[in-house]
Amino acid sequence: MPAIVGAIKVLSIGEAGVFHVGDVFSISPKSVSKTFAGAGSFNTGNGLTVSSYLSATNTYDQDAVDQAMIGNL
């Protein structure tokens, strides 16, 4: 069902942000990235105990493309 939308004021949208108004069939990302982090890097919460005395992050990646941007216009 079509949406009727009034006035909209957008102050800013981040580089990886998504903005849609009304009906949406599909929303897909417009950028891809890869993150490398060591043991215990993305833990969140209260009272964490992380025991990673010896940690090594392997950043070597033999793939040329992990997620294609083809058709994601």
Side-chain angles (χ1 to χ4, degrees):
M1 183 171 204
I4 299 174
V5 180
I8 296 173
K9 180 178 181 180
V10 178
L11 298 177
S12 67
I13 296 177
E15 184 177 319
V18 174
F19 177 77
H20 70 86
V21 177
D23 299 334
V24 176
F25 173 73
S26 175
I27 297 177
S28 59
K30 303 297 181 213
S31 66
V32 295
S33 64
K34 184 179 291 189
T35 302
F36 297 102
S41 296
F42 297 115
N43 290 333
T44 58
N46 297 326
L48 287 173
T49 301
V50 178
S51 300
S52 57
Y53 298 109
L54 182 61
S55 175
T57 303
N58 182 7
T59 59
Y60 173 72
D61 187 13
Q62 61 187 359
D63 298 340
V65 176
D66 289 325
Q67 181 176 349
M69 291 293 293
I70 297 171
N72 196 7
L73 304 174

Coordinates of all heavy atoms in Angstrom, one line a residue:
M1 N 0.8 -1.2 0.0 CA 0.0 0.0 0.0 C 0.9 1.2 0.0 O 1.8 1.3 0.8 CB -0.9 0.0 1.2 CG -1.9 1.1 1.3 SD -3.0 0.7 2.7 CE -4.3 1.7 2.1
P2 N 0.6 2.2 -0.9 CA 1.5 3.4 -1.0 C 1.4 4.2 0.3 O 0.4 4.2 1.0 CB 0.9 4.2 -2.1 CG 0.1 3.2 -2.9 CD -0.4 2.2 -1.9
A3 N 2.5 4.8 0.6 CA 2.6 5.6 1.8 C 2.5 7.1 1.4 O 3.0 7.5 0.4 CB 3.9 5.4 2.5
I4 N 1.9 7.9 2.3 CA 1.8 9.3 2.1 C 2.7 9.9 3.2 O 2.4 9.7 4.3 CB 0.4 9.8 2.1 CG1 -0.5 9.2 1.0 CG2 0.4 11.4 2.0 CD1 -1.9 9.5 1.1
V5 N 3.7 10.7 2.8 CA 4.7 11.2 3.7 C 4.7 12.7 3.6 O 4.6 13.3 2.5 CB 6.1 10.7 3.4 CG1 7.1 11.2 4.4 CG2 6.1 9.1 3.4
G6 N 4.7 13.4 4.8 CA 4.7 14.8 4.8 C 6.2 15.3 4.6 O 7.0 14.7 4.1
A7 N 6.4 16.5 5.2 CA 7.7 17.1 5.1 C 8.8 16.3 5.9 O 8.5 15.8 6.9 CB 7.7 18.6 5.6
I8 N 10.0 16.2 5.3 CA 11.1 15.5 5.9 C 12.3 16.4 5.9 O 12.6 17.0 4.9 CB 11.4 14.2 5.2 CG1 10.2 13.3 5.2 CG2 12.6 13.6 5.7 CD1 10.4 12.1 4.4
K9 N 13.0 16.5 7.1 CA 14.2 17.3 7.2 C 15.3 16.3 7.6 O 15.3 15.7 8.7 CB 14.1 18.4 8.2 CG 15.3 19.2 8.4 CD 15.1 20.3 9.4 CE 16.4 21.2 9.5 NZ 16.2 22.3 10.4
V10 N 16.3 16.1 6.7 CA 17.4 15.2 7.0 C 18.6 16.1 7.2 O 19.1 16.8 6.3 CB 17.7 14.3 5.8 CG1 18.9 13.4 6.1 CG2 16.5 13.4 5.5
L11 N 19.2 16.0 8.4 CA 20.4 16.8 8.8 C 21.6 16.2 8.2 O 22.5 16.8 7.7 CB 20.4 17.0 10.3 CG 19.3 17.8 10.9 CD1 19.4 17.9 12.4 CD2 19.2 19.2 10.3
S12 N 21.8 14.9 8.4 CA 23.0 14.2 7.9 C 22.7 12.7 7.9 O 21.9 12.2 8.7 CB 24.2 14.5 8.7 OG 24.1 13.9 10.0
I13 N 23.4 12.0 7.0 CA 23.4 10.6 6.9 C 24.8 10.1 6.8 O 25.6 10.6 6.0 CB 22.6 10.1 5.7 CG1 21.1 10.5 5.8 CG2 22.7 8.6 5.5 CD1 20.3 10.1 4.6
G14 N 25.2 9.2 7.6 CA 26.6 8.7 7.6 C 26.9 8.0 6.3 O 26.0 7.7 5.5
E15 N 28.2 7.7 6.1 CA 28.7 7.0 4.9 C 28.0 5.7 4.7 O 27.8 5.3 3.6 CB 30.2 6.9 5.0 CG 30.8 6.3 3.8 CD 32.3 6.3 3.9 OE1 32.9 7.3 4.4 OE2 32.9 5.3 3.4
A16 N 27.8 4.9 5.8 CA 27.2 3.6 5.7 C 25.7 3.6 6.1 O 25.2 2.6 6.4 CB 28.0 2.6 6.5
G17 N 25.1 4.8 6.1 CA 23.7 4.9 6.6 C 22.7 4.5 5.5 O 23.0 4.5 4.3
V18 N 21.5 4.3 5.9 CA 20.4 4.0 5.0 C 19.2 4.9 5.4 O 18.9 5.0 6.5 CB 19.9 2.5 5.1 CG1 18.7 2.2 4.3 CG2 21.1 1.6 4.7
F19 N 18.6 5.5 4.4 CA 17.5 6.4 4.6 C 16.4 5.9 3.6 O 16.6 5.9 2.4 CB 17.9 7.8 4.3 CG 16.7 8.8 4.4 CD1 16.2 9.2 5.7 CD2 16.1 9.3 3.3 CE1 15.2 10.0 5.8 CE2 15.1 10.2 3.4 CZ 14.6 10.5 4.6
H20 N 15.2 5.6 4.1 CA 14.1 5.3 3.2 C 12.9 5.9 3.7 O 12.7 6.2 4.9 CB 13.9 3.8 3.1 CG 13.4 3.1 4.3 ND1 12.1 3.0 4.6 CD2 14.1 2.5 5.3 CE1 12.0 2.4 5.8 NE2 13.2 2.1 6.2
V21 N 12.0 6.2 2.8 CA 10.7 6.8 3.2 C 9.6 6.0 2.5 O 9.7 5.8 1.3 CB 10.6 8.3 2.6 CG1 9.3 8.9 2.9 CG2 11.7 9.1 3.3
G22 N 8.6 5.6 3.2 CA 7.5 4.9 2.7 C 7.8 3.4 2.5 O 8.5 2.8 3.2
D23 N 7.1 2.9 1.4 CA 7.3 1.4 1.2 C 8.6 1.1 0.6 O 9.2 1.8 -0.2 CB 6.2 1.0 0.2 CG 4.8 1.3 0.7 OD1 4.6 1.3 1.9 OD2 3.9 1.4 -0.1
V24 N 9.2 0.0 1.1 CA 10.5 -0.4 0.6 C 10.5 -1.9 0.3 O 10.0 -2.7 1.1 CB 11.6 -0.2 1.7 CG1 12.9 -0.7 1.3 CG2 11.7 1.3 2.0
F25 N 10.9 -2.2 -0.9 CA 11.0 -3.6 -1.3 C 12.3 -4.3 -0.8 O 12.3 -5.4 -0.3 CB 10.9 -3.8 -2.8 CG 11.1 -5.2 -3.3 CD1 10.1 -6.1 -3.1 CD2 12.3 -5.5 -4.0 CE1 10.3 -7.4 -3.6 CE2 12.5 -6.8 -4.4 CZ 11.5 -7.8 -4.2
S26 N 13.4 -3.6 -1.0 CA 14.7 -4.2 -0.6 C 15.7 -3.1 -0.3 O 15.7 -2.1 -1.0 CB 15.2 -5.0 -1.8 OG 16.5 -5.5 -1.5
I27 N 16.4 -3.2 0.8 CA 17.5 -2.3 1.1 C 18.7 -3.1 1.2 O 18.8 -4.2 1.9 CB 17.2 -1.7 2.5 CG1 15.9 -0.8 2.5 CG2 18.4 -0.8 2.9 CD1 15.6 -0.2 3.8
S28 N 19.7 -2.7 0.4 CA 21.0 -3.4 0.4 C 22.2 -2.5 0.6 O 22.1 -1.3 0.3 CB 21.1 -4.2 -0.9 OG 21.1 -3.2 -2.0
P29 N 23.2 -3.0 1.2 CA 24.4 -2.1 1.5 C 25.0 -1.6 0.2 O 25.0 -2.2 -0.8 CB 25.3 -3.0 2.3 CG 25.0 -4.4 1.8 CD 23.5 -4.4 1.5
K30 N 25.6 -0.4 0.3 CA 26.3 0.2 -0.8 C 27.8 0.2 -0.6 O 28.6 0.7 -1.4 CB 25.9 1.6 -1.0 CG 24.4 1.8 -1.2 CD 23.9 1.1 -2.4 CE 22.4 1.3 -2.6 NZ 21.8 0.3 -3.3
S31 N 28.3 -0.4 0.4 CA 29.7 -0.6 0.7 C 30.0 -1.8 1.4 O 29.2 -2.4 2.1 CB 30.3 0.6 1.4 OG 29.7 0.6 2.8
V32 N 31.2 -2.3 1.3 CA 31.7 -3.5 2.0 C 33.0 -3.2 2.7 O 33.7 -2.3 2.2 CB 31.8 -4.7 1.1 CG1 30.5 -5.1 0.5 CG2 32.8 -4.4 0.0
S33 N 33.3 -3.9 3.8 CA 34.5 -3.6 4.5 C 34.9 -4.9 5.2 O 34.1 -5.8 5.4 CB 34.4 -2.5 5.4 OG 33.5 -2.8 6.5
K34 N 36.2 -5.0 5.6 CA 36.7 -6.2 6.3 C 37.3 -5.7 7.6 O 38.1 -4.7 7.5 CB 37.6 -6.9 5.4 CG 38.1 -8.2 6.1 CD 39.1 -8.9 5.2 CE 38.3 -9.5 4.0 NZ 39.1 -10.4 3.2
T35 N 37.1 -6.3 8.7 CA 37.6 -5.9 9.9 C 38.5 -7.1 10.5 O 38.0 -8.2 10.6 CB 36.5 -5.6 10.9 OG1 35.7 -4.5 10.4 CG2 37.1 -5.1 12.3
F36 N 39.7 -6.7 10.9 CA 40.5 -7.7 11.6 C 40.6 -7.3 13.1 O 40.9 -6.1 13.3 CB 41.9 -7.8 11.0 CG 41.9 -8.2 9.6 CD1 42.0 -7.4 8.5 CD2 41.8 -9.6 9.3 CE1 42.0 -7.8 7.2 CE2 41.8 -10.0 8.0 CZ 41.9 -9.1 6.9
A37 N 40.5 -8.2 14.0 CA 40.7 -7.9 15.4 C 41.2 -9.1 16.2 O 40.9 -10.2 15.8 CB 39.3 -7.4 16.0
G38 N 41.9 -8.8 17.2 CA 42.4 -9.9 18.0 C 41.4 -10.5 19.0 O 40.2 -10.2 19.0
A39 N 41.9 -11.5 19.8 CA 41.0 -12.2 20.7 C 40.4 -11.3 21.7 O 41.1 -10.4 22.3 CB 41.8 -13.3 21.4
G40 N 39.1 -11.4 21.9 CA 38.4 -10.6 22.9 C 38.2 -9.1 22.5 O 37.8 -8.3 23.4
S41 N 38.3 -8.8 21.3 CA 38.2 -7.4 20.8 C 36.8 -6.8 20.9 O 36.6 -5.7 21.2 CB 38.8 -7.2 19.4 OG 40.1 -7.5 19.4
F42 N 35.8 -7.6 20.5 CA 34.4 -7.1 20.4 C 33.5 -7.6 21.5 O 32.3 -7.6 21.4 CB 33.8 -7.6 19.1 CG 34.6 -7.0 17.9 CD1 35.3 -7.8 17.0 CD2 34.6 -5.6 17.7 CE1 35.9 -7.3 15.9 CE2 35.3 -5.1 16.6 CZ 35.9 -5.9 15.7
N43 N 34.1 -7.9 22.7 CA 33.3 -8.3 23.8 C 32.7 -7.1 24.5 O 33.3 -6.0 24.6 CB 34.2 -9.0 24.9 CG 34.7 -10.4 24.5 OD1 34.0 -11.0 23.7 ND2 35.8 -10.8 25.0
T44 N 31.4 -7.2 24.8 CA 30.7 -6.1 25.5 C 30.0 -6.7 26.7 O 29.6 -7.8 26.7 CB 29.7 -5.4 24.5 OG1 28.8 -6.4 24.1 CG2 30.4 -4.8 23.4
G45 N 29.7 -5.8 27.7 CA 29.0 -6.3 28.8 C 29.7 -5.8 30.1 O 30.7 -5.2 30.1
N46 N 29.1 -6.2 31.2 CA 29.6 -5.8 32.5 C 30.3 -7.0 33.2 O 29.9 -8.1 33.1 CB 28.5 -5.3 33.4 CG 27.7 -4.1 32.9 OD1 28.4 -3.3 32.3 ND2 26.4 -4.1 33.2
G47 N 31.5 -6.7 33.8 CA 32.2 -7.7 34.5 C 32.8 -8.8 33.7 O 32.8 -9.9 34.0
L48 N 33.4 -8.4 32.5 CA 34.0 -9.4 31.6 C 35.4 -9.8 32.1 O 36.1 -8.9 32.7 CB 34.2 -8.8 30.2 CG 32.9 -8.7 29.4 CD1 33.2 -8.0 28.1 CD2 32.4 -10.1 29.1
T49 N 35.7 -11.0 32.0 CA 37.1 -11.5 32.2 C 37.6 -12.2 31.0 O 37.1 -13.2 30.6 CB 37.1 -12.5 33.4 OG1 36.6 -11.8 34.6 CG2 38.6 -12.9 33.7
V50 N 38.6 -11.6 30.3 CA 39.1 -12.1 29.1 C 40.5 -12.6 29.3 O 41.4 -11.8 29.8 CB 39.1 -11.0 27.9 CG1 39.7 -11.6 26.7 CG2 37.7 -10.5 27.7
S51 N 40.8 -13.8 29.1 CA 42.1 -14.4 29.3 C 42.7 -14.9 27.9 O 42.5 -16.0 27.5 CB 42.0 -15.6 30.2 OG 41.5 -15.2 31.5
S52 N 43.3 -14.0 27.2 CA 43.9 -14.3 26.0 C 45.4 -13.8 26.1 O 45.8 -12.8 25.5 CB 43.2 -13.6 24.8 OG 43.2 -12.2 25.0
Y53 N 46.2 -14.6 26.8 CA 47.5 -14.2 27.0 C 48.4 -14.3 25.8 O 49.3 -13.5 25.6 CB 48.1 -15.2 28.1 CG 47.4 -15.1 29.4 CD1 46.6 -16.1 29.8 CD2 47.5 -13.9 30.2 CE1 45.9 -16.0 31.0 CE2 46.8 -13.8 31.3 CZ 46.0 -14.9 31.8 OH 45.3 -14.8 32.9
L54 N 48.1 -15.1 24.9 CA 48.9 -15.2 23.6 C 47.9 -15.1 22.5 O 47.0 -16.0 22.3 CB 49.7 -16.5 23.5 CG 50.5 -16.7 22.3 CD1 51.6 -15.6 22.2 CD2 51.2 -18.1 22.4
S55 N 47.9 -14.1 21.7 CA 47.0 -13.9 20.6 C 47.7 -13.3 19.4 O 48.6 -12.5 19.5 CB 45.9 -12.9 21.1 OG 45.0 -12.6 20.0
A56 N 47.3 -13.9 18.2 CA 47.9 -13.4 17.0 C 46.7 -13.3 16.0 O 45.9 -14.2 15.8 CB 48.9 -14.3 16.4
T57 N 46.6 -12.2 15.3 CA 45.5 -12.0 14.3 C 46.2 -12.2 12.9 O 47.1 -11.4 12.5 CB 44.9 -10.6 14.4 OG1 44.4 -10.5 15.7 CG2 43.8 -10.4 13.4
N58 N 45.7 -13.1 12.1 CA 46.1 -13.3 10.8 C 45.4 -12.4 9.8 O 44.2 -12.6 9.6 CB 45.9 -14.8 10.4 CG 46.5 -15.1 9.0 OD1 47.1 -14.3 8.4 ND2 46.2 -16.4 8.6
T59 N 46.1 -11.5 9.2 CA 45.4 -10.6 8.3 C 45.6 -10.9 6.8 O 45.2 -10.2 6.0 CB 45.9 -9.1 8.5 OG1 47.3 -9.1 8.4 CG2 45.6 -8.7 9.9
Y60 N 46.3 -12.0 6.6 CA 46.5 -12.5 5.2 C 45.2 -13.0 4.6 O 44.6 -13.9 5.2 CB 47.6 -13.5 5.1 CG 47.7 -14.1 3.7 CD1 48.3 -13.4 2.7 CD2 47.3 -15.4 3.4 CE1 48.4 -13.9 1.4 CE2 47.4 -15.9 2.2 CZ 48.0 -15.2 1.2 OH 48.1 -15.7 -0.1
D61 N 44.7 -12.6 3.5 CA 43.5 -13.0 2.9 C 43.8 -13.3 1.4 O 44.1 -12.3 0.7 CB 42.4 -12.0 3.0 CG 41.1 -12.5 2.5 OD1 40.9 -13.7 2.3 OD2 40.1 -11.7 2.4
Q62 N 43.7 -14.5 1.0 CA 44.0 -14.9 -0.4 C 42.9 -14.6 -1.4 O 43.1 -14.7 -2.6 CB 44.5 -16.3 -0.5 CG 43.4 -17.3 -0.1 CD 43.9 -18.7 0.0 OE1 45.1 -19.0 -0.3 NE2 43.1 -19.6 0.4
D63 N 41.7 -14.3 -0.9 CA 40.5 -14.0 -1.7 C 40.7 -12.6 -2.4 O 41.1 -11.7 -1.7 CB 39.2 -14.0 -1.0 CG 38.9 -15.4 -0.4 OD1 39.5 -16.4 -0.8 OD2 38.1 -15.4 0.6
A64 N 40.3 -12.5 -3.6 CA 40.4 -11.2 -4.3 C 39.2 -10.4 -3.9 O 39.3 -9.2 -3.6 CB 40.4 -11.4 -5.8
V65 N 38.0 -11.0 -3.8 CA 36.7 -10.4 -3.5 C 36.0 -11.2 -2.5 O 35.8 -12.4 -2.8 CB 35.9 -10.1 -4.8 CG1 34.6 -9.5 -4.4 CG2 36.6 -9.3 -5.8
D66 N 35.6 -10.6 -1.4 CA 34.8 -11.4 -0.4 C 33.3 -11.2 -0.7 O 32.5 -12.1 -0.5 CB 35.1 -10.9 1.0 CG 36.5 -11.4 1.4 OD1 36.9 -12.5 1.0 OD2 37.2 -10.7 2.1
Q67 N 32.9 -10.0 -1.0 CA 31.5 -9.7 -1.2 C 31.4 -8.8 -2.4 O 31.9 -7.6 -2.4 CB 30.8 -9.0 0.0 CG 29.3 -8.7 -0.3 CD 28.6 -8.2 1.0 OE1 29.2 -8.2 2.0 NE2 27.4 -7.7 0.8
A68 N 30.8 -9.2 -3.5 CA 30.8 -8.5 -4.8 C 29.8 -7.3 -4.7 O 28.7 -7.4 -4.0 CB 30.4 -9.4 -5.9
M69 N 30.1 -6.2 -5.3 CA 29.2 -5.1 -5.4 C 28.4 -5.0 -6.7 O 27.7 -4.1 -6.9 CB 30.0 -3.8 -5.2 CG 30.6 -3.6 -3.8 SD 29.4 -3.3 -2.6 CE 28.8 -1.7 -3.1
I70 N 28.5 -6.0 -7.5 CA 27.9 -6.1 -8.8 C 26.3 -6.1 -8.6 O 25.9 -6.9 -7.8 CB 28.3 -7.3 -9.6 CG1 29.8 -7.2 -9.9 CG2 27.5 -7.4 -10.9 CD1 30.4 -8.4 -10.5
G71 N 25.6 -5.3 -9.2 CA 24.2 -5.3 -9.1 C 23.7 -4.6 -7.9 O 22.5 -4.6 -7.6
N72 N 24.5 -3.9 -7.1 CA 24.2 -3.3 -5.9 C 24.3 -1.8 -6.1 O 25.0 -1.1 -5.5 CB 25.1 -3.7 -4.8 CG 24.6 -3.3 -3.4 OD1 23.4 -2.9 -3.3 ND2 25.3 -3.5 -2.4
L73 N 23.5 -1.3 -7.1 CA 23.5 0.1 -7.5 C 22.5 1.0 -6.7 O 21.5 0.6 -6.3 CB 23.3 0.3 -9.0 CG 24.2 -0.6 -9.8 CD1 23.8 -0.5 -11.3 CD2 25.7 -0.1 -9.6

